[in-house]
């Protein structure tokens, strides 16, 4: 008996309707990426392991899918020997390994696996820039829309295979790039009809400055990770976590203004200037923020709102300047639908120093869910065929195909029901497919066109048929 077909956990099949909706979002992104001067690149789905390993921290390394080398080395004991210390490990033991066992396992893995599926698009992009630096004209603006893979535990909203949609500029420290990226987010979401989006902005230098003035520079990560949870666990929860991490009561008193940080961007900047008056790095961060926010305000946004959020601390180990995060409209319960920031040394991991960059990412899957919940996908997106001709046998089918050829030349999605089946069966097929129009009959130069949705029916000429369906 044949086994029941299945797909690996954490992966998905996409139906024609789902693919059409995803393609709709991607097509909107692509148009605006290119309008803003970003050029498309693609990198291989798998990289050499040493390109990826060690670039994402210990947790990230564990989530990289390794690809087994070809060959029969498992059956050749003289070629590779499994170390005794790891020979009895179970697959579920990965989180419990000692440091020595982890080192031994990594050493063994490097012998049997030299390649790995890409974990994100950023490190392959850095590799691409370094490898092609003599051909690239800097500043280099690139966009990339490709799948990535992570050996994560599958759960709601978290998959092992998913798409990333990134836009980055490398080779320039100009803050006009940040201004432009805010505009790019706004342009894409406006084109998708998504109102009420908030683009949150902060700066790593401001977070460092706050930690400095409260005497907690050595606890920067602990401080910002706790602060980032303010909207989830509240003021008291954040203070409790900070104290548990060794941040003093005196430091918390100095940071008290952050817990009620309201007002316009200008008012928030004034508060920050007072709080960070003794921190040079903090003041530099404020100046950068001020430049970006003032110029975005002068240029104007179509629909999105820009807001300064001093609790925003995503990717703190990675970003060095501006930090972005995009919040979905408030009526939808959804996490961030985009994010990014400025990084000073993207390519340093591959030996090319002082190559500053800034980039943003769009969360395709979450944007899809938001648009779906708010019914923002146009009907035309999910209509694969506009009109279907009924089949009454080969003679009329030839006439139908002649007309269908003309309609297709006019970019009207058309098809013939392939079999001379019962008319009722053909109609039901069109209804189930969501095809809005059916040509019931061809009589000379006239066509009986029925709108399945409204039930309206009329006889039209070829020119009128084309006009009706366009």
């Amino acid at each position: 008996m044949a086994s029941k077909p299945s797909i690996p956990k954490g992966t998905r099949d996409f139906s024609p309707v789902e693919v059409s909706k995803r393609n709709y979002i991607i097509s909107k992104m692509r148009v605006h990426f290119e309008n803003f001067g970003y050029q498309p690149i693609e990198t291989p789905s798998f990289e050499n392991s040493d390109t990826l390993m060690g670039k994402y921290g210990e947790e990230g390394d564990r989530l990289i899918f390794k690809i087994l080398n070809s060959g029969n080395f498992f059956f050749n004991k003289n070629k590779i020997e499994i170390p005794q210390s790891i020979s009895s490990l179970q697959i579920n033991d990965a989180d419990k390994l000692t440091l020595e066992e982890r080192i031994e396992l990594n050493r063994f893995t490097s012998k049997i696996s030299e390649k790995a599926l890409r974990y994100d698009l950023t490190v392959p992009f850095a590799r691409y820039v370094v490898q092609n630096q003599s051909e690239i004209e800097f500043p280099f603006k690139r966009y990339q829309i490709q799948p990535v893979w992570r050996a994560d535990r599958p759960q709601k909203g978290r998959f092992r295979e998913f798409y990333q949609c990134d836009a980055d500029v490398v080779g320039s420290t100009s803050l006009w790039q940040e201004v432009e990226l805010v505009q790019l987010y706004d342009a894409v979401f406006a084109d998708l009809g998504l109102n009420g989006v908030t683009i949150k902005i902060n700066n790593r230098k401001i977070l460092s400055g706050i930690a400095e003035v409260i005497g907690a520079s050595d606890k920067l990560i602990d401080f910002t990770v706790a602060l980032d949870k303010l909207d989830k666990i509240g003021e008291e929860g954040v203070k409790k976590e900070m104290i548990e991490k060794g941040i003093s009561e005196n430091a918390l008193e100095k940071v008290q203004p952050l817990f009620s940080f309201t007002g316009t961007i200008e008012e928030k900047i004034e508060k920050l200037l007072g709080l960070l008056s003794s921190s040079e790095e903090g003041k530099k961060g404020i100046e950068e923020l001020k430049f970006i926010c003032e110029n975005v305000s002068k240029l104007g946004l179509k629909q999105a709102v820009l807001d300064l959020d001093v609790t925003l601390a995503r990717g703190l180990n990675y970003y060095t300047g501006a930090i972005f995060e995009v919040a979905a409209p408030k009526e939808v319960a959804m996490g961030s639908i985009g994010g990014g920031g400025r990084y000073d040394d993207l390519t340093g991991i591959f030996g090319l120093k002082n190559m500053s960059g800034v980039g943003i990412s769009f969360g395709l899957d979450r944007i899809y869910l938001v648009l779906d919940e708010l019914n923002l996908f146009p009907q035309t997106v999910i209509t694969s065929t506009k009109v279907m001709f009924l089949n009454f046998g080969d003679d009329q089918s030839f006439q139908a195909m002649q007309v269908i050829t003309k309609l297709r030349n006019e970019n009207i999605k058309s098809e013939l029901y392939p079999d001379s089946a019962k008319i009722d069966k053909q109609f039901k097929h069109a209804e189930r497919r969501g095809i809005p129009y059916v040509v019931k009959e061809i009589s000379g130069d006239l066509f009986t066109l029925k709108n399945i949705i409204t039930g309206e029916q009329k006889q039209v000429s070829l020119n009128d048929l084309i006009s009706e369906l366009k």
Side-chain angles (χ1 to χ4, degrees):
M1 182 177 173
S3 61
K4 188 177 179 183
S6 63
I7 59 174
K9 285 183 179 178
T11 63
R12 296 164 288 174
D13 287 324
F14 295 103
S15 69
V17 168
E18 289 168 327
V19 171
S20 296
K21 288 179 174 180
R22 287 163 66 85
N23 286 347
Y24 167 74
I25 298 170
I26 289 170
S27 68
K28 295 287 187 186
M29 289 180 191
R30 201 182 297 278
V31 165
H32 291 289
F33 286 158
E34 295 184 3
N35 277 350
F36 278 67
Y38 291 81
Q39 302 174 80
I41 70 162
E42 290 190 358
T43 59
S45 57
F46 56 93
E47 297 270 353
N48 291 326
S49 294
D50 56 9
T51 298
L52 303 180
M53 297 298 287
K55 310 304 189 300
Y56 306 102
E58 189 178 313
E59 178 63 22
D61 280 355
R62 285 213 301 269
L63 299 180
I64 292 173
F65 272 110
K66 283 84 175 176
I67 300 172
L68 204 61
N69 292 341
S70 303
N72 65 346
F73 47 77
F74 272 122
F75 306 100
N76 185 345
K77 290 187 179 176
N78 296 325
K79 193 167 184 182
I80 292 181
E81 188 175 326
I82 301 176
Q84 187 66 38
S85 61
I86 64 170
S87 61
S88 60
L89 285 176
Q90 299 296 309
I91 220 159
N92 294 328
D93 291 339
D95 294 335
K96 307 168 192 169
L97 297 181
T98 65
L99 179 60
E100 291 75 17
E101 287 172 334
R102 197 175 297 286
I103 291 170
E104 196 66 62
L105 183 60
N106 286 342
R107 190 177 292 131
F108 174 67
T109 303
S110 67
K111 292 178 181 177
I112 64 170
S113 172
E114 296 165 356
K115 299 174 186 68
L117 293 176
R118 63 169 171 247
Y119 175 88
D120 71 355
L121 298 179
T122 305
V123 169
F125 173 48
R127 190 266 309 148
Y128 175 92
V129 170
V130 174
Q131 203 171 337
N132 297 280
Q133 57 186 292
S134 58
E135 287 84 42
I136 291 173
E137 175 61 34
F138 293 103
F140 179 46
K141 300 170 78 169
R142 87 81 166 89
Y143 77 87
Q144 200 169 347
I145 303 171
Q146 287 187 278
V148 299
W149 295 266
R150 295 183 186 177
D152 216 340
R153 284 194 178 91
Q155 53 185 281
K156 184 175 172 58
R158 182 173 290 179
F159 303 98
R160 288 177 168 173
E161 178 185 63
F162 56 95
Y163 267 74
Q164 287 192 338
C165 312
D166 290 4
D168 289 79
V169 191
V170 290
S172 170
T173 58
S174 169
L175 294 175
W176 285 111
Q177 309 289 3
E178 277 86 338
V179 172
E180 189 176 75
L181 288 170
V182 172
Q183 291 181 311
L184 177 56
Y185 264 141
D186 179 52
V188 171
F189 290 125
D191 204 3
L192 290 170
L194 193 55
N195 296 317
V197 166
T198 302
I199 304 167
K200 299 177 184 178
I201 187 171
N202 197 12
N203 194 295
R204 161 67 190 264
K205 297 180 180 75
I206 287 173
L207 292 165
S208 299
I210 293 168
E212 181 189 332
V213 299
I214 67 171
S217 289
D218 60 328
K219 305 251 181 221
L220 173 63
I221 303 297
D222 291 333
F223 168 74
T224 48
V225 166
L227 188 63
D228 199 34
K229 298 176 184 175
L230 183 60
D231 59 341
K232 299 180 186 73
I233 61 177
E235 181 179 336
E236 292 310 312
V238 170
K239 286 180 176 177
K240 182 171 178 284
E241 185 170 322
M242 286 183 176
I243 289 168
E244 286 171 358
K245 296 291 185 181
I247 296 169
S248 69
E249 294 272 6
N250 184 45
L252 290 183
E253 282 179 30
K254 292 180 182 176
V255 88
Q256 184 61 40
L258 295 181
F259 295 115
S260 54
F261 214 74
T262 56
T264 63
I265 290 177
E266 292 78 11
E267 288 166 345
K268 289 177 181 178
I269 285 174
E270 283 302 313
K271 290 178 186 177
L272 282 174
L273 284 168
L275 185 65
L276 299 175
S277 58
S278 62
S279 169
E280 288 305 314
E281 185 171 21
K283 285 192 283 187
K284 189 173 181 206
I286 294 170
E287 284 306 307
E288 290 179 5
L289 258 185
K290 195 174 176 185
F291 179 92
I292 297 164
C293 294
E294 283 184 354
N295 282 293
V296 167
S297 177
K298 288 174 188 172
L299 291 164
L301 294 175
K302 296 177 181 177
Q303 289 181 353
V305 173
L306 183 65
D307 190 32
L308 169 53
D309 182 353
V310 290
T311 70
L312 181 60
R314 60 181 290 136
L316 194 65
N317 292 327
Y318 185 67
Y319 296 122
T320 53
I323 306 167
F324 298 108
E325 189 167 279
V326 183
K330 287 173 183 170
E331 62 264 36
V332 184
M334 183 64 66
S336 65
I337 56 174
R342 164 76 61 175
Y343 38 82
D344 277 342
D345 198 16
L346 171 73
T347 56
I349 52 176
F350 297 115
L352 181 61
K353 299 292 184 186
N354 303 318
M355 183 65 74
S356 185
V358 60
I360 57 172
S361 186
F362 289 80
L364 176 63
D365 291 306
R366 286 184 172 182
I367 293 168
Y368 178 105
L369 292 171
V370 171
L371 295 181
D372 216 32
E373 188 169 330
L374 297 175
N375 294 315
L376 290 175
F377 285 108
Q379 186 62 35
T380 51
V381 170
I382 56 177
T383 305
S384 58
T385 296
K386 192 72 177 283
V387 61
M388 186 185 86
F389 284 66
L390 298 187
N391 189 318
F392 291 100
D394 288 344
D395 288 345
Q396 197 173 91
S397 291
F398 180 76
Q399 286 180 273
M401 285 301 296
Q402 286 179 306
V403 178
I404 287 169
T405 302
K406 291 175 182 175
L407 294 179
R408 287 171 178 166
N409 288 338
E410 297 288 335
N411 292 318
I412 296 168
K413 298 172 185 176
S414 322
E415 63 179 271
L416 170 72
Y417 189 84
D419 303 306
S420 180
K422 290 181 179 178
I423 300 305
D424 185 52
K425 182 180 179 181
Q426 296 188 46
F427 263 111
K428 282 182 178 173
H429 176 77
E431 286 171 4
R432 284 193 292 264
R433 288 269 311 279
I435 299 171
Y437 291 97
V438 164
V439 171
K440 290 175 63 179
E441 188 182 353
I442 302 174
S443 178
D445 294 330
L446 294 176
F447 306 88
T448 304
L449 180 68
K450 181 168 184 176
N451 184 322
I452 290 183
I453 299 165
T454 65
E456 183 187 356
Q457 182 174 305
K458 54 185 169 182
Q459 275 198 325
V460 293
S461 65
L462 178 59
N463 286 339
D464 288 342
L465 179 67
I466 292 169
S467 300
E468 190 82 27
L469 296 173
K470 269 200 164 180

